[in-house]
Every structure is written in C-alpha cells, then in structure tokens.
Amino acid sequence: MIETITTAELPIREVMKIKKNSLCPEHMTGEEQRLCIVTGVHGDDLAGQFICYEVIRKIKENYQHLKGIVDVYPAINPLGLDAGTREWPLFNMDMNMAFPGSFEGTMTEYTAAKIMEDLKGANVCIDIHSSSIFLKEIPQVRINDDVALELMPYAKQMNMDFVWIHPSTTVKQGSIVNALNEMGTKAMVIEGDVAMRIDQSYCNQVVDGIFALMKYMGIWTGETKVPRKPHISDDGKVVFINGETSGVFVPSVEHSKQVKQGEKIGEIIEPLTGSVEEEIFSPCDGIVFTLREYPVVSEGALLARVLGEEKYD
C-alpha cells in the first residue's frame, strides 16, 4: 500500500510529497517484525532507486512468503533526486544533517520530523547510500560503536564485504541513522560504489542482503542466498591516504584488491608539464576499500583508504 508521509507547498502551486510503500502479509497477527528501507537522503544516491524496485518486485512475485512488514521509502529527499543534486536544493542543505528534525523548524526540519515519526516503532531500519561522485567504496555496513554489539548480528546478514565500526563521537550529528539509534530504533548505513549511477552488481548484492536480513528477522520464508562473511574493523585498522599536491590522480591499483606495504597506489600528474608531481604508496598491507574515482584533486584530497589489518568474526 502506497502512503504519503508528508507534503509541503512549493512555489508555483507545486506540492512536494514523500511516500512509502508498505508491504504487509495478507493475514496480520499484530506480532509482525517491521523492517524499514530508507534511501534517497541524498539526491545522487541513485542505486537505492533500483534496490527499492527490486525488493518490492521480488516481494510482490512471492507474496505468500511475506510474514512481516517491509516499509520502503525510496526518496526522502525527492527535490534533490529530481534536481540531480546531493543536497536539499531549496536550502542547499545536506538533509542528513537535519534529523531528528523539528515540527516548528524549516521545511527540511519539518520533513525530517515527519519521517522520524513514521519510522518510529520499526525493529530495524537500513539507510542505503551510494558513495559520492569522488570516491568508489566497497559494499559496506557502517555502524556506531555504542550500538555495535546490538547491531552486529543484523549487519552480518547484509551480504556486504565490510562492516566498519565508527566511534560514536565521530559520527555526524543530524544523520537519520544516528537519530534513530538515539531513539532506540536499530539502524545502520549501507554504502558502496559511486554516486550518480546504478551498478546492478552492487544493487543486487544489497538486495540479496536485504532478503537474508528479512529471513533472519522472520519476515521472509522464501529462499535466500547465504550472506558473505564480511571483514570487520574499527577506525583503528583503517588507513587514510591523502595527496600532498594538486593535479590529476591516476590510480595504479584496482579497487577492492589486496595491496602490500610500499606498493604503488597511484600518482598525481601535471598535464601541462608532463611531469609526475607525487607518487602514492600504501603504508601497510591490506585491502583498498576506497579509491578516488574523480581524478582532479587538490592538496589534501582523499585518494584511498586501506583496511590495514583484517579481522573476521
């Protein structure tokens, strides 16, 4: 059932609407688990559009296996999605800084408050993102360390390559996941690939993870794929590699591949002079789980992240 969560008046007699598709079993008992799938917080998170489509399509094709509630919110920043911008365009604001919102605030804050009100009571919420246009990310789950013990069983079902545990003190205040966890709703971020495109391989990996999670929660009784075993790490095992010069970054390693300490990651070149301005080397053994996608860089730009020491659980 498609429901409108909130509306807002726009210039020239237009109306913004945020909608969800609520999929419920035919015979409700009142004891059903509820999973919320949120995406489109950023207008360039296009992979989430295909993921929502695939989840809904597969449920509708095998509706008899649905034993819980799946609420799908494909675009909670519909103006950004329509305009093709990352931010909420009317205020040029990152919507993922507006939560939990306020019913007395701006349009963005009011919208955030209405979304939070609708998500209240969910057993688990997953917030699906692409990366930015600048960086390619390995498919990953991101969770806060203060809720990691509680969330880890759910994160392991998501079929991701990597679970990254962040100190809660470094997590951006105002994000929907942070606000939900503070409210007592289990919430985690799914992130991968690059913004402004749909990579069906990444999308299908997430979809398989969602159905594995649904089965784990007792929401789905149909066949699912066994989720892959992820690398698990906190910030202490992640090495950030930044450039010290400006120019054009040319990588010499592949994304998501193993590198050795001292192995060349890439170089920053100067097209005008035909010179190499800087060579970039890995400071440790590990996996390149973030790699610069947009080649033009300024001094200090993030070029890569390496997971330096692997831990499995």
Side-chain angles (χ1 to χ4, degrees), residues 57-84:
R57 181 186 68 81
K58 290 190 173 187
I59 290 175
K60 289 170 69 175
E61 285 184 352
N62 298 277
Y63 218 92
Q64 71 277 13
H65 294 302
L66 184 66
K67 305 302 178 184
I69 301 168
V70 180
D71 284 344
V72 182
Y73 304 73
I76 62 173
N77 177 7
L79 299 181
L81 188 66
D82 288 345

PDB file of all heavy atoms in Angstrom, residues 57-84:
ATOM      1  N   ARG A  57       9.564  -5.643  -6.175  1.00  0.00           N
ATOM      2  CA  ARG A  57       9.220  -6.582  -7.248  1.00  0.00           C
ATOM      3  C   ARG A  57       9.293  -8.025  -6.769  1.00  0.00           C
ATOM      4  O   ARG A  57       8.375  -8.830  -7.025  1.00  0.00           O
ATOM      5  CB  ARG A  57      10.163  -6.379  -8.438  1.00  0.00           C
ATOM      6  CG  ARG A  57       9.869  -7.287  -9.630  1.00  0.00           C
ATOM      7  CD  ARG A  57      10.913  -7.140 -10.721  1.00  0.00           C
ATOM      8  NE  ARG A  57      12.218  -7.658 -10.313  1.00  0.00           N
ATOM      9  CZ  ARG A  57      12.563  -8.940 -10.339  1.00  0.00           C
ATOM     10  NH1 ARG A  57      11.684  -9.860 -10.717  1.00  0.00           N
ATOM     11  NH2 ARG A  57      13.772  -9.324  -9.976  1.00  0.00           N
ATOM     12  N   LYS A  58      10.356  -8.366  -6.050  1.00  0.00           N
ATOM     13  CA  LYS A  58      10.528  -9.751  -5.604  1.00  0.00           C
ATOM     14  C   LYS A  58       9.508 -10.129  -4.536  1.00  0.00           C
ATOM     15  O   LYS A  58       9.037 -11.278  -4.498  1.00  0.00           O
ATOM     16  CB  LYS A  58      11.957  -9.941  -5.088  1.00  0.00           C
ATOM     17  CG  LYS A  58      13.007  -9.910  -6.195  1.00  0.00           C
ATOM     18  CD  LYS A  58      14.372 -10.328  -5.693  1.00  0.00           C
ATOM     19  CE  LYS A  58      15.355 -10.456  -6.839  1.00  0.00           C
ATOM     20  NZ  LYS A  58      16.646 -11.022  -6.423  1.00  0.00           N
ATOM     21  N   ILE A  59       9.178  -9.199  -3.678  1.00  0.00           N
ATOM     22  CA  ILE A  59       8.145  -9.490  -2.678  1.00  0.00           C
ATOM     23  C   ILE A  59       6.808  -9.728  -3.361  1.00  0.00           C
ATOM     24  O   ILE A  59       6.080 -10.688  -3.044  1.00  0.00           O
ATOM     25  CB  ILE A  59       8.043  -8.341  -1.650  1.00  0.00           C
ATOM     26  CG1 ILE A  59       9.282  -8.306  -0.759  1.00  0.00           C
ATOM     27  CG2 ILE A  59       6.783  -8.495  -0.792  1.00  0.00           C
ATOM     28  CD1 ILE A  59       9.333  -7.133   0.202  1.00  0.00           C
ATOM     29  N   LYS A  60       6.448  -8.865  -4.305  1.00  0.00           N
ATOM     30  CA  LYS A  60       5.154  -8.990  -4.996  1.00  0.00           C
ATOM     31  C   LYS A  60       5.060 -10.286  -5.787  1.00  0.00           C
ATOM     32  O   LYS A  60       3.981 -10.870  -5.913  1.00  0.00           O
ATOM     33  CB  LYS A  60       4.940  -7.775  -5.896  1.00  0.00           C
ATOM     34  CG  LYS A  60       4.669  -6.490  -5.115  1.00  0.00           C
ATOM     35  CD  LYS A  60       4.705  -5.254  -6.000  1.00  0.00           C
ATOM     36  CE  LYS A  60       3.551  -5.199  -6.953  1.00  0.00           C
ATOM     37  NZ  LYS A  60       3.549  -3.926  -7.732  1.00  0.00           N
ATOM     38  N   GLU A  61       6.196 -10.756  -6.330  1.00  0.00           N
ATOM     39  CA  GLU A  61       6.182 -12.001  -7.097  1.00  0.00           C
ATOM     40  C   GLU A  61       6.004 -13.232  -6.213  1.00  0.00           C
ATOM     41  O   GLU A  61       5.581 -14.292  -6.692  1.00  0.00           O
ATOM     42  CB  GLU A  61       7.479 -12.128  -7.899  1.00  0.00           C
ATOM     43  CG  GLU A  61       7.533 -11.223  -9.120  1.00  0.00           C
ATOM     44  CD  GLU A  61       8.788 -11.448  -9.943  1.00  0.00           C
ATOM     45  OE1 GLU A  61       9.684 -12.212  -9.480  1.00  0.00           O
ATOM     46  OE2 GLU A  61       8.883 -10.873 -11.038  1.00  0.00           O
ATOM     47  N   ASN A  62       6.353 -13.116  -4.928  1.00  0.00           N
ATOM     48  CA  ASN A  62       6.275 -14.257  -3.999  1.00  0.00           C
ATOM     49  C   ASN A  62       5.652 -13.811  -2.678  1.00  0.00           C
ATOM     50  O   ASN A  62       6.199 -14.033  -1.597  1.00  0.00           O
ATOM     51  CB  ASN A  62       7.674 -14.834  -3.751  1.00  0.00           C
ATOM     52  CG  ASN A  62       8.315 -15.372  -5.016  1.00  0.00           C
ATOM     53  OD1 ASN A  62       8.066 -16.496  -5.420  1.00  0.00           O
ATOM     54  ND2 ASN A  62       9.156 -14.552  -5.645  1.00  0.00           N
ATOM     55  N   TYR A  63       4.504 -13.181  -2.801  1.00  0.00           N
ATOM     56  CA  TYR A  63       3.890 -12.532  -1.639  1.00  0.00           C
ATOM     57  C   TYR A  63       3.557 -13.513  -0.521  1.00  0.00           C
ATOM     58  O   TYR A  63       3.497 -13.138   0.654  1.00  0.00           O
ATOM     59  CB  TYR A  63       2.621 -11.784  -2.063  1.00  0.00           C
ATOM     60  CG  TYR A  63       2.434 -10.475  -1.341  1.00  0.00           C
ATOM     61  CD1 TYR A  63       2.916  -9.290  -1.871  1.00  0.00           C
ATOM     62  CD2 TYR A  63       1.784 -10.429  -0.117  1.00  0.00           C
ATOM     63  CE1 TYR A  63       2.754  -8.082  -1.210  1.00  0.00           C
ATOM     64  CE2 TYR A  63       1.619  -9.232   0.558  1.00  0.00           C
ATOM     65  CZ  TYR A  63       2.104  -8.063   0.012  1.00  0.00           C
ATOM     66  OH  TYR A  63       1.959  -6.876   0.692  1.00  0.00           O
ATOM     67  N   GLN A  64       3.361 -14.774  -0.882  1.00  0.00           N
ATOM     68  CA  GLN A  64       2.987 -15.760   0.136  1.00  0.00           C
ATOM     69  C   GLN A  64       4.095 -15.974   1.164  1.00  0.00           C
ATOM     70  O   GLN A  64       3.844 -16.491   2.263  1.00  0.00           O
ATOM     71  CB  GLN A  64       2.621 -17.101  -0.527  1.00  0.00           C
ATOM     72  CG  GLN A  64       3.792 -17.872  -1.114  1.00  0.00           C
ATOM     73  CD  GLN A  64       4.187 -17.430  -2.504  1.00  0.00           C
ATOM     74  OE1 GLN A  64       3.752 -16.381  -2.978  1.00  0.00           O
ATOM     75  NE2 GLN A  64       4.989 -18.241  -3.186  1.00  0.00           N
ATOM     76  N   HIS A  65       5.337 -15.565   0.826  1.00  0.00           N
ATOM     77  CA  HIS A  65       6.455 -15.746   1.753  1.00  0.00           C
ATOM     78  C   HIS A  65       6.628 -14.571   2.717  1.00  0.00           C
ATOM     79  O   HIS A  65       7.482 -14.632   3.610  1.00  0.00           O
ATOM     80  CB  HIS A  65       7.755 -15.941   0.971  1.00  0.00           C
ATOM     81  CG  HIS A  65       7.793 -17.211   0.177  1.00  0.00           C
ATOM     82  ND1 HIS A  65       7.633 -18.452   0.750  1.00  0.00           N
ATOM     83  CD2 HIS A  65       7.970 -17.436  -1.155  1.00  0.00           C
ATOM     84  CE1 HIS A  65       7.714 -19.395  -0.177  1.00  0.00           C
ATOM     85  NE2 HIS A  65       7.915 -18.800  -1.346  1.00  0.00           N
ATOM     86  N   LEU A  66       5.839 -13.524   2.537  1.00  0.00           N
ATOM     87  CA  LEU A  66       5.973 -12.340   3.400  1.00  0.00           C
ATOM     88  C   LEU A  66       5.221 -12.565   4.706  1.00  0.00           C
ATOM     89  O   LEU A  66       4.003 -12.743   4.715  1.00  0.00           O
ATOM     90  CB  LEU A  66       5.432 -11.098   2.680  1.00  0.00           C
ATOM     91  CG  LEU A  66       5.607  -9.783   3.419  1.00  0.00           C
ATOM     92  CD1 LEU A  66       7.085  -9.416   3.552  1.00  0.00           C
ATOM     93  CD2 LEU A  66       4.853  -8.650   2.708  1.00  0.00           C
ATOM     94  N   LYS A  67       5.950 -12.546   5.820  1.00  0.00           N
ATOM     95  CA  LYS A  67       5.355 -12.793   7.132  1.00  0.00           C
ATOM     96  C   LYS A  67       5.531 -11.610   8.087  1.00  0.00           C
ATOM     97  O   LYS A  67       5.140 -11.697   9.253  1.00  0.00           O
ATOM     98  CB  LYS A  67       5.986 -14.043   7.769  1.00  0.00           C
ATOM     99  CG  LYS A  67       5.902 -15.289   6.897  1.00  0.00           C
ATOM    100  CD  LYS A  67       4.464 -15.645   6.537  1.00  0.00           C
ATOM    101  CE  LYS A  67       4.402 -16.865   5.618  1.00  0.00           C
ATOM    102  NZ  LYS A  67       3.015 -17.167   5.178  1.00  0.00           N
ATOM    103  N   GLY A  68       6.118 -10.551   7.603  1.00  0.00           N
ATOM    104  CA  GLY A  68       6.299  -9.349   8.410  1.00  0.00           C
ATOM    105  C   GLY A  68       6.057  -8.121   7.556  1.00  0.00           C
ATOM    106  O   GLY A  68       5.586  -8.210   6.418  1.00  0.00           O
ATOM    107  N   ILE A  69       6.395  -6.962   8.097  1.00  0.00           N
ATOM    108  CA  ILE A  69       6.130  -5.681   7.428  1.00  0.00           C
ATOM    109  C   ILE A  69       7.430  -5.134   6.858  1.00  0.00           C
ATOM    110  O   ILE A  69       8.445  -5.056   7.552  1.00  0.00           O
ATOM    111  CB  ILE A  69       5.526  -4.670   8.425  1.00  0.00           C
ATOM    112  CG1 ILE A  69       4.217  -5.211   9.007  1.00  0.00           C
ATOM    113  CG2 ILE A  69       5.292  -3.316   7.745  1.00  0.00           C
ATOM    114  CD1 ILE A  69       3.706  -4.426  10.199  1.00  0.00           C
ATOM    115  N   VAL A  70       7.396  -4.753   5.590  1.00  0.00           N
ATOM    116  CA  VAL A  70       8.527  -4.106   4.938  1.00  0.00           C
ATOM    117  C   VAL A  70       8.050  -2.752   4.430  1.00  0.00           C
ATOM    118  O   VAL A  70       7.206  -2.682   3.516  1.00  0.00           O
ATOM    119  CB  VAL A  70       9.090  -4.949   3.772  1.00  0.00           C
ATOM    120  CG1 VAL A  70      10.275  -4.216   3.123  1.00  0.00           C
ATOM    121  CG2 VAL A  70       9.516  -6.326   4.265  1.00  0.00           C
ATOM    122  N   ASP A  71       8.542  -1.681   5.027  1.00  0.00           N
ATOM    123  CA  ASP A  71       8.212  -0.325   4.598  1.00  0.00           C
ATOM    124  C   ASP A  71       9.371   0.217   3.770  1.00  0.00           C
ATOM    125  O   ASP A  71      10.513   0.269   4.244  1.00  0.00           O
ATOM    126  CB  ASP A  71       7.975   0.584   5.806  1.00  0.00           C
ATOM    127  CG  ASP A  71       6.623   0.347   6.461  1.00  0.00           C
ATOM    128  OD1 ASP A  71       5.762  -0.290   5.822  1.00  0.00           O
ATOM    129  OD2 ASP A  71       6.420   0.800   7.599  1.00  0.00           O
ATOM    130  N   VAL A  72       9.084   0.624   2.540  1.00  0.00           N
ATOM    131  CA  VAL A  72      10.112   1.082   1.607  1.00  0.00           C
ATOM    132  C   VAL A  72       9.916   2.577   1.342  1.00  0.00           C
ATOM    133  O   VAL A  72       8.843   2.990   0.865  1.00  0.00           O
ATOM    134  CB  VAL A  72      10.060   0.293   0.285  1.00  0.00           C
ATOM    135  CG1 VAL A  72      11.174   0.748  -0.648  1.00  0.00           C
ATOM    136  CG2 VAL A  72      10.164  -1.207   0.554  1.00  0.00           C
ATOM    137  N   TYR A  73      10.941   3.366   1.638  1.00  0.00           N
ATOM    138  CA  TYR A  73      10.927   4.817   1.428  1.00  0.00           C
ATOM    139  C   TYR A  73      11.970   5.133   0.346  1.00  0.00           C
ATOM    140  O   TYR A  73      13.136   5.374   0.652  1.00  0.00           O
ATOM    141  CB  TYR A  73      11.294   5.552   2.713  1.00  0.00           C
ATOM    142  CG  TYR A  73      10.440   5.245   3.926  1.00  0.00           C
ATOM    143  CD1 TYR A  73      10.544   4.023   4.603  1.00  0.00           C
ATOM    144  CD2 TYR A  73       9.543   6.186   4.434  1.00  0.00           C
ATOM    145  CE1 TYR A  73       9.782   3.743   5.728  1.00  0.00           C
ATOM    146  CE2 TYR A  73       8.772   5.923   5.563  1.00  0.00           C
ATOM    147  CZ  TYR A  73       8.896   4.702   6.190  1.00  0.00           C
ATOM    148  OH  TYR A  73       8.147   4.438   7.325  1.00  0.00           O
ATOM    149  N   PRO A  74      11.584   5.171  -0.924  1.00  0.00           N
ATOM    150  CA  PRO A  74      12.591   5.292  -1.988  1.00  0.00           C
ATOM    151  C   PRO A  74      13.251   6.663  -2.094  1.00  0.00           C
ATOM    152  O   PRO A  74      14.374   6.763  -2.584  1.00  0.00           O
ATOM    153  CB  PRO A  74      11.795   4.993  -3.266  1.00  0.00           C
ATOM    154  CG  PRO A  74      10.525   4.368  -2.807  1.00  0.00           C
ATOM    155  CD  PRO A  74      10.253   4.940  -1.468  1.00  0.00           C
ATOM    156  N   ALA A  75      12.554   7.724  -1.678  1.00  0.00           N
ATOM    157  CA  ALA A  75      13.110   9.064  -1.911  1.00  0.00           C
ATOM    158  C   ALA A  75      12.667  10.010  -0.803  1.00  0.00           C
ATOM    159  O   ALA A  75      11.608  10.637  -0.901  1.00  0.00           O
ATOM    160  CB  ALA A  75      12.652   9.602  -3.267  1.00  0.00           C
ATOM    161  N   ILE A  76      13.465  10.113   0.238  1.00  0.00           N
ATOM    162  CA  ILE A  76      13.085  11.041   1.301  1.00  0.00           C
ATOM    163  C   ILE A  76      13.684  12.429   1.084  1.00  0.00           C
ATOM    164  O   ILE A  76      13.449  13.329   1.881  1.00  0.00           O
ATOM    165  CB  ILE A  76      13.423  10.492   2.703  1.00  0.00           C
ATOM    166  CG1 ILE A  76      14.914  10.282   2.886  1.00  0.00           C
ATOM    167  CG2 ILE A  76      12.672   9.198   2.961  1.00  0.00           C
ATOM    168  CD1 ILE A  76      15.248   9.896   4.317  1.00  0.00           C
ATOM    169  N   ASN A  77      14.436  12.582  -0.003  1.00  0.00           N
ATOM    170  CA  ASN A  77      14.832  13.914  -0.487  1.00  0.00           C
ATOM    171  C   ASN A  77      14.403  13.992  -1.949  1.00  0.00           C
ATOM    172  O   ASN A  77      15.235  14.016  -2.855  1.00  0.00           O
ATOM    173  CB  ASN A  77      16.342  14.120  -0.335  1.00  0.00           C
ATOM    174  CG  ASN A  77      16.820  15.458  -0.881  1.00  0.00           C
ATOM    175  OD1 ASN A  77      16.032  16.311  -1.275  1.00  0.00           O
ATOM    176  ND2 ASN A  77      18.131  15.645  -0.910  1.00  0.00           N
ATOM    177  N   PRO A  78      13.107  14.026  -2.222  1.00  0.00           N
ATOM    178  CA  PRO A  78      12.632  13.963  -3.615  1.00  0.00           C
ATOM    179  C   PRO A  78      13.049  15.173  -4.444  1.00  0.00           C
ATOM    180  O   PRO A  78      13.235  15.051  -5.655  1.00  0.00           O
ATOM    181  CB  PRO A  78      11.110  13.886  -3.467  1.00  0.00           C
ATOM    182  CG  PRO A  78      10.816  14.482  -2.129  1.00  0.00           C
ATOM    183  CD  PRO A  78      11.983  14.127  -1.265  1.00  0.00           C
ATOM    184  N   LEU A  79      13.200  16.335  -3.813  1.00  0.00           N
ATOM    185  CA  LEU A  79      13.613  17.523  -4.567  1.00  0.00           C
ATOM    186  C   LEU A  79      15.052  17.373  -5.052  1.00  0.00           C
ATOM    187  O   LEU A  79      15.382  17.736  -6.180  1.00  0.00           O
ATOM    188  CB  LEU A  79      13.471  18.771  -3.696  1.00  0.00           C
ATOM    189  CG  LEU A  79      12.061  19.085  -3.197  1.00  0.00           C
ATOM    190  CD1 LEU A  79      12.062  20.364  -2.365  1.00  0.00           C
ATOM    191  CD2 LEU A  79      11.085  19.217  -4.361  1.00  0.00           C
ATOM    192  N   GLY A  80      15.919  16.821  -4.193  1.00  0.00           N
ATOM    193  CA  GLY A  80      17.296  16.573  -4.599  1.00  0.00           C
ATOM    194  C   GLY A  80      17.375  15.533  -5.703  1.00  0.00           C
ATOM    195  O   GLY A  80      18.161  15.660  -6.640  1.00  0.00           O
ATOM    196  N   LEU A  81      16.536  14.515  -5.604  1.00  0.00           N
ATOM    197  CA  LEU A  81      16.511  13.478  -6.637  1.00  0.00           C
ATOM    198  C   LEU A  81      16.055  14.050  -7.972  1.00  0.00           C
ATOM    199  O   LEU A  81      16.650  13.782  -9.027  1.00  0.00           O
ATOM    200  CB  LEU A  81      15.582  12.345  -6.194  1.00  0.00           C
ATOM    201  CG  LEU A  81      15.578  11.087  -7.046  1.00  0.00           C
ATOM    202  CD1 LEU A  81      16.916  10.369  -6.982  1.00  0.00           C
ATOM    203  CD2 LEU A  81      14.457  10.147  -6.607  1.00  0.00           C
ATOM    204  N   ASP A  82      15.019  14.884  -7.946  1.00  0.00           N
ATOM    205  CA  ASP A  82      14.516  15.490  -9.184  1.00  0.00           C
ATOM    206  C   ASP A  82      15.533  16.448  -9.802  1.00  0.00           C
ATOM    207  O   ASP A  82      15.668  16.529 -11.023  1.00  0.00           O
ATOM    208  CB  ASP A  82      13.209  16.243  -8.913  1.00  0.00           C
ATOM    209  CG  ASP A  82      12.034  15.306  -8.655  1.00  0.00           C
ATOM    210  OD1 ASP A  82      12.163  14.105  -8.957  1.00  0.00           O
ATOM    211  OD2 ASP A  82      11.001  15.778  -8.153  1.00  0.00           O
ATOM    212  N   ALA A  83      16.251  17.172  -8.941  1.00  0.00           N
ATOM    213  CA  ALA A  83      17.207  18.160  -9.430  1.00  0.00           C
ATOM    214  C   ALA A  83      18.577  17.559  -9.734  1.00  0.00           C
ATOM    215  O   ALA A  83      19.423  18.214 -10.336  1.00  0.00           O
ATOM    216  CB  ALA A  83      17.369  19.277  -8.389  1.00  0.00           C
ATOM    217  N   GLY A  84      18.802  16.306  -9.318  1.00  0.00           N
ATOM    218  CA  GLY A  84      20.095  15.664  -9.525  1.00  0.00           C
ATOM    219  C   GLY A  84      21.189  16.248  -8.660  1.00  0.00           C
ATOM    220  O   GLY A  84      22.363  16.259  -9.047  1.00  0.00           O
TER     221      GLY A  84
END
